[in-house]
Amino acid sequence: MKIEFSKAQHLYKLVWRWHFYAVLIFTPVLLILAITGGTYLFKSQLEHHDDQQEHH
């Protein structure tokens, strides 16, 4: 029993496959950007907190 897919169904599967690959590629990049951006954003507050800890 062979199932025939229409052209629209084939295109739908193709788009979802590429979407899946894009998620696998870009998720680590976005995580790195979010972590380093957050670190840069709160850098002065983190340094201020470290300086207070050293003086006690």
Side-chain angles (χ1 to χ4, degrees):
M1 178 191 243
K2 188 175 180 182
I3 299 174
E4 294 290 328
F5 292 109
S6 71
K7 192 172 184 178
Q9 288 172 326
H10 180 69
L11 181 62
Y12 181 80
K13 285 188 169 201
L14 181 68
V15 168
W16 272 105
R17 187 179 311 130
W18 277 103
H19 180 264
F20 175 73
Y21 292 142
V23 168
L24 289 179
I25 292 169
F26 287 109
T27 299
V29 173
L30 289 176
L31 283 174
I32 290 170
L33 288 173
I35 291 169
T36 56
T39 304
Y40 183 74
L41 181 65
F42 296 111
K43 181 180 177 185
S44 63
Q45 290 153 338
L46 292 172
E47 288 176 345
H48 180 71
H49 179 71
D50 286 343
D51 290 342
Q52 284 182 345
Q53 294 295 328
E54 290 176 4
H55 293 297
H56 284 240

